[in-house]
Amino acid sequence: MTNSLITPVGTEAVAGLLEIENQCFRNPWSKHHFTSAINSPQMHVWVYQQKISMAGYIVLYIIEDVLVIANLAVSPDHRRKGIGEDLLNYGLDLGRNQGCGSSILDVRQSNTTAVSLYKKANYIIIGNNKGYYKNPYEDSYVMGRKI
Ligand SMILES: CC(C)(COP(=O)(O)OP(=O)(O)OC[C@H]1O[C@@H](n2cnc3c(N)ncnc32)[C@H](O)[C@@H]1OP(=O)(O)O)[C@@H](O)C(=O)NCCC(=O)NCCS
């Protein structure tokens, strides 16, 4: 896509991240969650910048050789343009380049949109975490794939 860029961000991006986060989730990450993620040497926060606006982001970290997708969201104004897929593929490339052999994530069982995105990216359901989500209480699917 022209005039767009996936780039790591610093704490100056937290307000923009929160704006999208609050539009996307009923139990959103707080300012503290994003600040901690950005300041953590283990975590990667990448933003999809389109012209002057932030269109979406992905937050991930690596444990041993496993890439964990911790958060992924696209602003409602920018959906269905392949941005979620681009961010996910960007994360998978990063994991691959850092020697990861697999990737996992949790997703709300009712979040059919995200489940569909992950299935398209070759993740499969490998388990569930009971009561993983609050507000509303819900089990997650644990999804994973080799990378
Ligand atoms: C899930 C989300 C990140 C997808 O972002 P997006 O940029 O709109 O997705 P893309 O355009 O890259 O779509 C890629 C694939 O995802 C799936 N998908 C995306 N939106 C969908 C929808 N409304 N209904 C069904 N499938 C959908 C499709 O498989 C799609 O492939 P296709 O276009 O070939 O059909 C976005 O809807 C979002 O931010 N949702 C709220 C936050 C969230 O649920 N995050 C995931 C937490 S685990």
Side-chain angles (χ1 to χ4, degrees), residues 6-146:
I6 297 177
T7 179
V9 286
T11 49
E12 74 288 344
V14 168
L17 291 162
L18 280 172
E19 195 178 325
I20 296 178
E21 177 80 6
N22 288 324
Q23 292 178 77
C24 290
F25 298 103
R26 275 178 292 177
N27 199 14
W29 278 22
S30 65
K31 181 178 179 183
H32 173 72
H33 283 113
F34 280 111
T35 306
S36 302
I38 289 166
N39 288 331
S40 162
Q42 277 81 39
M43 297 191 79
H44 303 266
V45 183
W46 292 80
V47 157
Y48 193 108
Q49 197 70 33
Q50 194 161 43
K51 295 184 183 163
I52 55 160
S53 69
M54 187 189 293
Y57 52 82
I58 187 166
V59 182
L60 44 91
Y61 60 96
I62 294 170
I63 299 182
E64 297 183 354
D65 70 339
V66 180
L67 174 78
V68 182
I69 310 297
N71 199 346
L72 171 66
V74 173
S75 153
D77 295 341
H78 292 91
R79 293 206 183 138
R80 297 300 329 233
K81 295 177 187 164
I83 294 175
E85 209 174 346
D86 282 355
L87 283 163
L88 188 56
N89 285 329
Y90 207 86
L92 287 164
D93 280 346
L94 184 141
R96 215 170 273 126
N97 291 336
Q98 298 207 8
C100 292
S102 62
S103 173
I104 59 165
L105 57 90
D106 283 273
V107 56
R108 273 188 191 272
Q109 293 192 358
S110 62
N111 191 348
T112 51
T113 301
V115 169
S116 165
L117 165 67
Y118 296 132
K119 283 186 172 165
K120 189 176 180 198
N122 296 321
Y123 285 80
I124 57 167
I125 295 169
I126 54 174
N128 59 75
N129 278 317
K130 194 123 195 83
Y132 186 82
Y133 294 103
K134 314 284 177 261
N135 186 32
Y137 177 93
E138 189 175 348
D139 300 346
S140 73
Y141 285 133
V142 180
M143 299 186 75
R145 58 159 285 179
K146 292 201 190 316

